[in-house]
Amino acid sequence: MHICFLTNEYPKEGFPHGGVGTFVRILGKNLVKNGVNVSVVGLNYTNEYEEAVDEGIHIYRTSFKKTKGLQWYNNNKSISNKIREIHSKQPIDIVEVSELGLAFLQKIKGIKYIIRMHGGHHYFAKAENRNVEFWKAFQEKRSFSRADYVLAVSNYVAETTKELLNLNNLSVKVIYNPIDSKKFYQSRCDKINKQTIFFAGSLVEKKGIRQLIKAMPYIIKEYPNTHLYIAGRDANIPGTNKPYRPIIEKEISEEIRSNITFLGVVSNESIMQYIERSEVCCYPSHMEAMPLAWLEVLAMGKAFVGSTTGPGKEAVNDGVTGWLVNPFNSVDIANKIIEVFNDPNQAKIVGENARLETIKKFDISIIAKQNIDFYNKIKNR
């Protein structure tokens, strides 16, 4: 069986990548281990064509076309041509894309086309309370109309997207995002630095970092030595060229400035160390689809505070494997973190529960099998 993923986000050294790219890398490597041929096609970060192999995954990065006015057409044509070329040499059974990926792709007879919902334009426009963009909305609707099958990474993203796009009769298979529980090991309690909080994620409003920073004065009132470490790349405010970090830094008062450290972009290995050393990890996202970053913390058996919104309850059993808060309420965030600080024994128990439940529900060995079973089922139809 040959699966071809379409994404521009597959991780490349020295360049930022998104959650979809991380997902494809984790799943793809395990598909290869199970005898599946895996290709990844997407646009390069530069105007050069590149090929690479990553533990059996064949990666094809087509050159980015900057033709004014026809950029979208030329880039889609370039990707379509590359798929056709690969297919002629080693027939592809399934092409998988995210929400907008099929809008202008040239389909090939005999290949099945899947959309996997990771959270598309309509989904996050609603979450961020902003208007949908006509061009992206058009592409998303057109893309779904051309899909043979649809997957989703959570029940919440499936049902919400169906409602927003009036796809209520659409059949959607839900397969959760995977986590490599061998890589994200059980953390050690003796390495914890007391009263430390860790946040990892892009510095954008929807990740809840502003509300977490606003929670700090309430936490410091109870625990003056609390320190918040923030890892992640700065991003622009949607629809502008203005970076977000300077805006939230202006809201940090002098009284708490020394209690907060911005780490910038941090490697995966360093993130695991920060997770292990922190007393609690808090990622109060306003909305997610099924956040891999949450699963990484849970797999390491750490005390974790996430959000009640979106698929939060699908990832975290509130009070049992972690805690869920209203991500728009800084007092709620603060109170939950203080609760964790107040009872380290309970935090340890909850962390242990988190690792056990995460392995049972999200481990890559289980998720890879679910995907292979689904691929085989539609391939043989």
Side-chain angles (χ1 to χ4, degrees), residues 16 42 70 82 86 106 144 151 208 212 220 235 240-241 321 346 351:
L70 291 174
K82 176 50 63 176
I86 296 167
Q106 296 171 12
F144 272 97
L151 287 166
L212 176 55
I220 290 169
T240 75
N241 292 318
T321 62
Q346 180 62 17

Side-chain angles (χ1 to χ4, degrees), residues 1 94 96 116 371-379:
M1 180 162 56
I94 294 166
E96 179 176 313
R116 190 181 303 248
N371 279 277
I372 291 170
D373 289 346
F374 180 77
Y375 291 147
N376 277 321
K377 185 177 179 181
I378 67 170
K379 173 180 176 284

Side-chain angles (χ1 to χ4, degrees), residues 26 153-154 175-181 290-292 294-296 298-299 311-317 321 354-368 370:
I26 296 171
V153 298
S154 68
I175 302 179
Y176 290 133
N177 278 338
I179 187 71
D180 185 347
S181 60
M290 177 49 74
L292 285 165
W294 291 25
L295 302 184
E296 292 168 359
L298 296 168
K313 292 179 182 178
E314 294 180 66
V316 176
N317 186 348
T321 62
R355 179 164 175 82
L356 290 172
E357 185 64 24
T358 300
I359 291 174
K360 189 187 303 180
K361 191 174 179 181
F362 300 102
D363 189 72
I364 183 58
S365 60
I366 297 167
I367 300 300
Q370 291 175 2

Side-chain angles (χ1 to χ4, degrees), residues 101-303:
L102 292 180
F104 304 112
L105 191 71
Q106 296 171 12
K107 295 176 72 173
I108 300 170
K109 187 176 180 180
I111 297 178
K112 306 289 176 60
Y113 292 84
I114 297 174
I115 287 177
R116 190 181 303 248
M117 297 180 188
H118 292 277
H121 180 65
H122 285 82
Y123 182 82
F124 281 113
K126 179 187 177 184
E128 296 169 26
N129 196 28
R130 56 183 170 85
N131 294 329
V132 297
E133 299 173 31
F134 170 79
W135 182 234
K136 288 183 179 178
F138 170 78
Q139 289 180 71
E140 191 163 33
K141 289 178 180 178
R142 177 179 167 83
S143 183
F144 272 97
S145 72
R146 304 181 75 225
D148 297 314
Y149 300 94
V150 179
L151 287 166
V153 298
S154 68
N155 288 292
Y156 185 87
V157 74
E159 294 307 313
T160 304
T161 304
K162 284 169 64 176
E163 180 183 343
L164 291 171
L165 295 177
N166 296 316
L167 301 172
N168 295 321
N169 295 325
L170 182 68
S171 175
V172 180
K173 171 74 173 176
V174 174
I175 302 179
Y176 290 133
N177 278 338
I179 187 71
D180 185 347
S181 60
K182 292 179 181 177
K183 178 181 178 181
F184 290 92
Y185 54 87
Q186 171 64 60
S187 59
R188 288 169 46 180
C189 293
D190 61 352
K191 290 197 173 183
I192 291 176
N193 293 324
K194 288 291 186 181
Q195 294 157 41
T196 52
I197 307 166
F198 181 62
F199 168 93
S202 299
L203 302 187
V204 291
E205 179 71 14
K206 72 179 181 181
K207 292 296 182 181
I209 183 58
R210 186 166 60 87
Q211 286 79 12
L212 176 55
I213 288 173
K214 284 190 169 184
M216 285 295 286
Y218 301 101
I219 300 168
I220 290 169
K221 190 177 292 184
E222 297 290 328
Y223 289 93
N225 295 322
T226 298
H227 202 97
L228 169 62
Y229 293 92
I230 300 169
R233 63 183 176 89
D234 194 6
N236 291 336
I237 299 169
T240 75
N241 292 318
K242 296 180 180 178
Y244 183 70
R245 176 172 162 177
I247 293 173
I248 55 176
E249 283 188 311
K250 284 182 181 178
E251 297 187 13
I252 301 174
S253 66
E254 288 301 320
E255 290 76 17
I256 67 167
R257 192 168 295 277
S258 62
N259 298 83
I260 299 173
T261 298
F262 287 88
L263 301 168
V265 177
V266 175
S267 68
N268 285 338
E269 290 71 24
S270 295
I271 280 182
M272 287 188 280
Q273 293 172 13
Y274 275 106
I275 289 172
E276 184 168 40
R277 292 198 295 260
S278 299
E279 188 163 7
V280 60
C281 295
C282 182
Y283 302 175
S285 306
H286 298 173
M287 184 56 65
E288 296 283 0
M290 177 49 74
L292 285 165
W294 291 25
L295 302 184
E296 292 168 359
V297 175
L298 296 168
M300 291 187 70
K302 292 297 299 186

Side-chain angles (χ1 to χ4, degrees), residues 8 12 41-51 60-67 71 74-79 82:
N8 304 329
K12 179 181 176 181
V41 179
L43 297 175
N44 205 349
Y45 295 91
T46 67
N47 61 358
E48 298 176 348
Y49 173 77
E50 290 180 358
E51 290 185 18
Y60 305 88
R61 295 185 173 100
T62 67
S63 59
F64 184 74
K65 313 294 184 186
K66 294 184 178 180
T67 313
Q71 181 173 299
N74 289 326
N75 285 326
N76 275 281
K77 184 178 179 181
S78 176
I79 289 173
K82 176 50 63 176

Side-chain angles (χ1 to χ4, degrees), residues 335-346:
N335 287 340
K336 198 58 65 177
I337 292 173
I338 291 168
E339 183 181 321
V340 175
F341 287 170
N342 285 342
D343 196 344
N345 289 330
Q346 180 62 17

